[in-house]
Amino acid sequence: MSTATVIGGGPAGLIAAEVLAREGVTVTVYDRMPSPGRKFLLAGHGGLNITHSEDRDPFLARYGAAAEHLAPMLDVFGPQDLRDWCAGLGEPTFVGSSGRVFPRSFRATPLVRAWLARLADLGVRIERRHRWLGWTEHPGGLRFTGADGAEIEVTTDVVIFALGGASWPRLGSDGGWLGPFSERGVAVTPLRPANVGVRVDWTSTFAERFEGTPLKHVALSVRGHTARPARGDAMVTRTGLEGGPVYATGAAIRDAVDADGHCVLEVDLRPDLTIEQLTERLQERRRPKDSGSTWLRRSIALDPVGISLLRESSGGPLPSDAATTAALVKAVPVVVTAPMPIGRAISTAGGIAWDEVDESLMLRRLPGTFVAGEMLDWEAPTGGYLLQASFSTGVVAAQGAVAWLSRPTDRETA
């Protein structure tokens, strides 16, 4: 019977183990943490957003430059397949008002519990507290430190790496695999923070007053970039901004910071109104004795954090004429000095270059070795896209491993 080693106990690794085990392969999963799926469980704390229900073309567009590479993998195991898989574990899904897909329980724990039980029934062995160190000198050999700190060697017929990126290192993904892979000549794009907050040098007055306050229903874009603005709620922090629209703009922010050392993030405080409509409202509803704050609150319903952001960006009194104020409301300039560190990111960009793997995600330099999940060079915004691609690449890598194990040997073709 063929043996397979899966290194990494996140969604990509565990789904790969399941696919392999269903094909009769003896599978062992090695994970460095005391229990598998820790980042998956963390993702479910606020409601497990497993995938998204939008149509295929806009769905693929979420993956940016990696869309063409991921498209065939989403065809193999797409959003409906993932929903059916959840239902098979006793966790049927539903579509939320935003189009995001959640398990009925809204949590990750029941799903993970049922999944681990299924893997046990399939004979998958999970070795916890085992950290991968690299390869041995003989083919098929892998080195680990075990739970007791002793080094062990494992020989296997095929291996799937699903070690993640470098975000949330305390949950197991610390990017420690980059060194051994680079030493083997595998090209790796540097790992960078994705879906992460940004640094802004607020004044102490603004930071102290509005830390933890959301900018509701705004649209964000990077000055000089033509991408469609990202909408949602952005959260003011003491050191910058967080939230869905910030994360969705992350790639453009990184590019601008790399080019100029900073970028200007433009905040549209009223994305559903044009400049002309705002100007008209500001003109019609102004009263002679109104203060600037009262004028903005009553004319266009700006809240205190929005009004203060206008003052923060202008560095002084608010403009007095309606047209200038309307233009500022539609594009409040916020200077971003840097993304937050990778350890605070939800996910990472970068990873193993696509040229290094074939269509089944096998490394061209290391036949019989496959990679899946965030180890590959792709990124996506939150909203179910991260988990979907992790599952899809895990399935494709496992199917590739099964095909590799089933190939004719030299003896059989002689």
Side-chain angles (χ1 to χ4, degrees), residues 26-290:
T26 299
V27 184
T28 304
V29 177
Y30 291 88
D31 191 79
R32 62 172 288 203
M33 303 304 290
S35 58
R38 290 205 164 192
K39 193 173 179 183
F40 189 52
L41 289 167
L42 178 68
H45 279 184
L48 181 64
N49 180 195
I50 196 79
T51 186
H52 204 285
S53 64
E54 67 185 347
D55 292 338
R56 185 177 188 275
D57 287 347
F59 195 106
L60 280 174
R62 304 291 186 174
Y63 297 102
E68 63 177 299
H69 300 289
L70 290 170
M73 304 184 196
L74 290 166
D75 290 338
V76 170
F77 193 82
Q80 188 58 53
D81 299 304
L82 184 49
R83 295 185 67 181
D84 293 342
W85 175 84
C86 289
L89 286 171
E91 283 293 320
T93 55
F94 69 94
V95 180
S97 59
S98 64
R100 299 183 180 198
V101 176
F102 301 90
R104 183 174 58 190
S105 68
F106 211 59
R107 298 183 299 123
T109 304
L111 191 66
V112 171
R113 187 181 297 120
W115 194 6
L116 293 177
R118 173 188 284 179
L119 291 172
D121 290 342
L122 289 170
V124 174
R125 191 171 89 250
I126 299 178
E127 294 289 353
R128 298 163 170 82
R129 300 182 187 273
H130 279 66
R131 184 183 183 96
W132 178 69
L133 301 176
W135 290 273
T136 63
E137 293 182 0
H138 59 275
L142 301 161
R143 296 167 46 238
F144 296 88
T145 52
D148 59 359
E151 186 171 325
I152 62 172
E153 294 186 4
V154 173
T155 302
T156 186
D157 295 321
V158 70
V159 59
I160 295 177
F161 285 92
L163 287 167
S167 60
W168 290 96
R170 65 184 178 83
L171 300 179
S173 298
D174 62 0
W177 53 268
L178 272 79
F181 274 79
S182 297
E183 289 170 6
R184 286 292 180 111
V186 177
V188 180
T189 304
L191 298 180
R192 305 168 72 191
N195 292 303
V196 70
V198 295
R199 293 189 183 279
V200 179
D201 292 332
W202 304 124
T203 61
S204 58
T205 300
F206 183 84
E208 290 169 6
R209 182 178 177 188
F210 293 106
E211 179 184 9
T213 304
L215 290 162
K216 303 285 287 185
H217 310 302
V218 297
L220 306 184
S221 57
V222 174
R223 182 177 292 175
H225 286 247
T226 58
R228 183 178 179 181
R231 290 193 175 207
D233 296 347
M235 183 67 69
V236 175
T237 68
R238 181 168 288 274
T239 56
L241 286 171
E242 297 267 2
V246 180
Y247 305 155
T249 318
I253 291 172
R254 287 200 315 267
D255 290 345
V257 170
D258 286 347
D260 301 320
H262 70 280
C263 82
V264 177
L265 189 64
E266 294 185 338
V267 182
D268 185 346
L269 294 172
R270 286 293 176 266
D272 294 326
L273 297 174
T274 65
I275 289 180
E276 291 74 21
Q277 290 170 325
L278 284 170
T279 301
E280 182 179 353
R281 294 187 185 192
L282 288 164
Q283 288 174 334
E284 291 180 347
R285 303 177 185 180
R286 185 165 198 174
R287 297 174 181 173
K289 294 184 178 180
D290 279 349

Side-chain angles (χ1 to χ4, degrees), residues 19-20 23 25 158 358-360 362 370 395-408:
V19 172
L20 286 162
E23 294 296 327
V25 180
V158 70
D358 64 14
E359 66 279 358
S360 65
M362 184 173 73
F370 298 77
V395 170
V396 168
Q399 291 180 346
V402 170
W404 173 259
L405 291 169
S406 303
R407 76 195 188 286

